[in-house]
Amino acid sequence: ATGASYQSSDEVANMALRRAHADNLELARRSLERHEVEDRDFCSITMAIDSSLLPEAKKRIAEFRRELMVFLESGAKKDQVYHLSVSLYPVTKK
């Protein structure tokens, strides 16, 4: 652990960031095959939403990620490295 935390600015769309997200999705896919269910957590939900609430949803997701990171990194014995990905995206076609 370096103690460093990195974050891209919000609403950034560039090729390097897209590749990083794609790589993370591939790591998640591999985890489904390689890791026992006790060592991972995957879930999803599909919902009909009011899209005007998306800015607040993004804010809440960012707060959740930060809070969970602080909680998990507070443990005395850091014996594993984990990756958390949260995705919220449309499945409807305009």
Side-chain angles (χ1 to χ4, degrees):
T2 65
S5 179
Y6 300 97
Q7 175 179 331
S8 68
S9 57
D10 292 340
E11 308 303 324
V12 170
N14 67 52
M15 189 55 70
L17 192 54
R18 286 182 186 187
R19 282 191 200 123
H21 288 307
D23 289 346
N24 288 334
L25 290 170
E26 178 60 21
L27 287 172
R29 188 195 65 74
R30 289 183 196 162
S31 179
L32 285 170
E33 299 168 3
R34 295 181 181 170
H35 300 110
E36 297 296 327
V37 70
E38 297 84 12
D39 297 327
R40 59 179 169 77
D41 183 70
F42 282 78
C43 60
S44 65
I45 184 171
T46 303
M47 58 196 137
I49 69 161
D50 176 344
S51 60
S52 70
L53 299 175
L54 280 173
E56 176 66 19
K58 289 181 177 187
K59 179 182 166 192
R60 289 180 182 206
I61 291 168
E63 290 171 0
F64 163 74
R65 289 190 327 249
R66 282 190 292 274
E67 289 173 8
L68 188 61
M69 180 186 67
V70 168
F71 168 71
L72 290 172
E73 289 184 338
S74 70
K77 183 181 88 167
K78 295 178 178 63
D79 60 344
Q80 292 282 328
V81 175
Y82 269 66
H83 179 89
L84 171 69
S85 296
V86 178
S87 302
L88 178 66
Y89 53 90
V91 293
T92 52
K93 296 179 183 176
K94 290 187 176 185

